C-alpha cells in the first residue's frame, strides 16, 4: 500500500492542534472551574491529554522532515556502485528551496540542482501516447495511458539541466556537444550471495569513474557501473524523449547505467517533483548472512 508519510504527519499535526486548541478556547476554563469547585484534582480528558502531549512532538518531526533532512532507504541497485541496496541516506530538504509539506509547492527559492547532483524526487510517471499526444501514466506498458501514477520517491543523478542538449548512445553521453569522459577502474567486486551482486557479477559488470563537468568549470567525478550483456539502454533522442531538456525539467539517470529505469525511458523529471539532495549514508544494511551492517559505508558523503 502506498502512502505519503508527510501528508500523514501534516494531518496528525492539524488534528492534534485543533483538538488541543479548541479545548483550550471553549472547554478548559469551565471544566477547570467545575473541578476546582468540587475539590477534585484537575486532569485533561484523555483525547485532549494525548493531543497536548503529541502535538509538539509531531510538529517538530514534520518541520525537520520538511525543511531540514529526511531519511530514505535505497531499495534497488539502479544507483550502484554509488548507492547500494540497503543504504540508508539523508536528504537535504532545503538545498533547492523550501516546500509546503504534502503539497510540495515551493515558497522559498534557495537554489537549483546542478549537473552531477544526486536527487530524490517524486516519480513523474511513464511517457505514453494517448491519441498522438504524450501523457504521464502509471502504466509502464502504456496499455492504460490514464493509469494513476504511484506516489513513489525515486533517486537518480542529474545529467541534463533545462536547455541542455543531451545525446545518449549506449554507454556514451554527449552533453551540449561535448562527450562525457570516463576512466575504467576494473571489474565489479561484490558478494555473489546477494542477488543484486550476483546479476552484476554474472553479467561481467565493470566500474568506471565518470567526469561530469558543470557550467562553472568544476567537475563531479563519480563511479558508474556498466554491464552491456545485461540490457541495451534507450538512446536519446527517441520518440518520447527529445534531445533538448525542456524548461523546468531535469534529465536524470542511474549510475548503474545498464540497470536503471530512468529519464532515457520516461523523459525529464519536472522541477516541482524534487524532494531534495542526497548527501550522506548514515547506515548500510547488507542483509542477514550477506554482510550485515557495512560499517565501511556509514558516514560516506554522497557525490
Amino acid at each position: 500500500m502506498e502512502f505519503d508519510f508527510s501528508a500523514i504527519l501534516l494531518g496528525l499535526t492539524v488534528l492534534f492542534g485543533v483538538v488541543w486548541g479548541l479545548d483550550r478556547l471553549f472547554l478548559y476554563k469551565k471544566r477547570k472551574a467545575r473541578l476546582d469547585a468540587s475539590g477534585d484534582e484537575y486532569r485533561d480528558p484523555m483525547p485532549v491529554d494525548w493531543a497536548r502531549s503529541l502535538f509538539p512532538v509531531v510538529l517538530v518531526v514534520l518541520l525537520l522532515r520538511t525543511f531540514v533532512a529526511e531519511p530514505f532507504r535505497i531499495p534497488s541497485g539502479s544507483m550502484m556502485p554509488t548507492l547500494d541496496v540497503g543504504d540508508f541516506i539523508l536528504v537535504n530538504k532545503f538545498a533547492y528551496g523550501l516546500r509546503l509539506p504534502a503539497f510540495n509547492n515551493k515558497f522559498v527559492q534557495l537554489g537549483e540542482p546542478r549537473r552531477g547532483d544526486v536527487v530524490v524526487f517524486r516519480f513523474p510517471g511513464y511517457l505514453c501516447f494517448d491519441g498522438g499526444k504524450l501523457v504521464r501514466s502509471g502504466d509502464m506498458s502504456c496499455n492504460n495511458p490514464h493509469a494513476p501514477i504511484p506516489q513513489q520517491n525515486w533517486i537518480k543523478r542529474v545529467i541534463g539541466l533545462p536547455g541542455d542538449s543531451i545525446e545518449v548512445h549506449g554507454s556514451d553521453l554527449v552533453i551540449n556537444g561535448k562527450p562525457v569522459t570516463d576512466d575504467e577502474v576494473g571489474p565489479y567486486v561484490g558478494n555473489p550471495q546477494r542477488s543484486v551482486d550476483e546479476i552484476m557479477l554474472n553479467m561481467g559488470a565493470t566500474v568506471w569513474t565518470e567526469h561530469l563537468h558543470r557550467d562553472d568549470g568544476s567537475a563531479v567525478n563519480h563511479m558508474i557501473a556498466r554491464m552491456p550483456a545485461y540490457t541495451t539502454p534507450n538512446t536519446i533522442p527517441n520518440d518520447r524523449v527529445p534531445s533538448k531538456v525542456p524548461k523546468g525539467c531535469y534529465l536524470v539517470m542511474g549510475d548503474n547505467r545498464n540497470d536503471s529505469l530512468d529519464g532515457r525511458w520516461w523523459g525529464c523529471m519536472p522541477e516541482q517533483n524534487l524532494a531534495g539532495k542526497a548527501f550522506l549514508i548514515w547506515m548500510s544494511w547488507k542483509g542477514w548472512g550477506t554482510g550485515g551492517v557495512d560499517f565501511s559505508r556509514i558516514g560516506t558523503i554522497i557525490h
Side-chain angles (χ1 to χ4, degrees), residues 63-105:
L63 293 176
L64 289 176
R65 286 177 58 98
T66 301
F67 303 124
V68 182
E70 184 173 0
F72 289 91
R73 180 183 180 276
I74 303 300
S76 74
S78 69
M79 282 296 291
M80 293 174 70
T82 304
L83 297 173
D84 202 353
V85 176
D87 282 348
F88 292 81
I89 66 171
L90 286 178
V91 173
N92 183 334
K93 299 301 295 288
F94 58 85
Y96 307 130
L98 301 181
R99 298 173 184 270
L100 293 174
F103 301 99
N104 212 44
N105 296 324

Side-chain angles (χ1 to χ4, degrees), residues 35-217:
L35 292 174
D36 287 345
S38 64
D40 294 332
E41 180 183 359
Y42 178 82
R43 288 185 180 180
D44 282 324
M46 187 174 68
V48 176
D49 185 53
W50 276 84
R52 177 181 57 81
S53 301
L54 293 176
F55 173 74
V57 176
V58 177
L59 177 62
V60 169
V61 173
L62 175 67
L63 293 176
L64 289 176
R65 286 177 58 98
T66 301
F67 303 124
V68 182
E70 184 173 0
F72 289 91
R73 180 183 180 276
I74 303 300
S76 74
S78 69
M79 282 296 291
M80 293 174 70
T82 304
L83 297 173
D84 202 353
V85 176
D87 282 348
F88 292 81
I89 66 171
L90 286 178
V91 173
N92 183 334
K93 299 301 295 288
F94 58 85
Y96 307 130
L98 301 181
R99 298 173 184 270
L100 293 174
F103 301 99
N104 212 44
N105 296 324
K106 184 186 292 187
F107 64 94
V108 176
Q109 175 70 35
L110 295 176
E112 298 292 342
R114 298 197 296 168
R115 190 178 298 114
D117 286 359
V118 178
V119 297
V120 171
F121 55 94
R122 289 182 292 112
F123 176 54
Y126 302 101
L127 285 174
C128 299
F129 284 105
D130 181 24
K133 180 182 178 181
L134 275 176
V135 298
R136 294 284 186 176
S137 170
D139 181 7
M140 182 179 177
S141 69
C142 289
N143 290 327
N144 180 10
H146 304 287
I149 299 170
Q151 295 295 311
Q152 297 174 340
N153 288 308
W154 288 30
I155 184 166
K156 304 291 179 187
R157 187 178 298 276
V158 175
I159 302 296
L161 306 178
D164 279 350
S165 177
I166 307 293
E167 295 180 32
V168 180
H169 302 283
S171 298
D172 298 325
L173 298 180
V174 180
I175 301 177
N176 296 325
K178 297 179 180 179
V180 175
T181 59
D182 47 42
D183 305 306
E184 185 171 4
V185 176
Y188 176 78
V189 178
N191 183 349
Q193 294 181 333
R194 299 176 72 217
S195 58
V196 65
D197 285 342
E198 182 183 20
I199 292 173
M200 297 183 71
L201 292 170
N202 289 341
M203 293 295 150
T206 53
V207 177
W208 300 66
T209 301
E210 183 174 78
H211 312 289
L212 278 177
H213 292 275
R214 291 172 168 165
D215 294 337
D216 61 3

Side-chain angles (χ1 to χ4, degrees), residues 88 232 242 254 264 268:
F88 292 81
T232 302
R264 291 168 289 182
C268 68

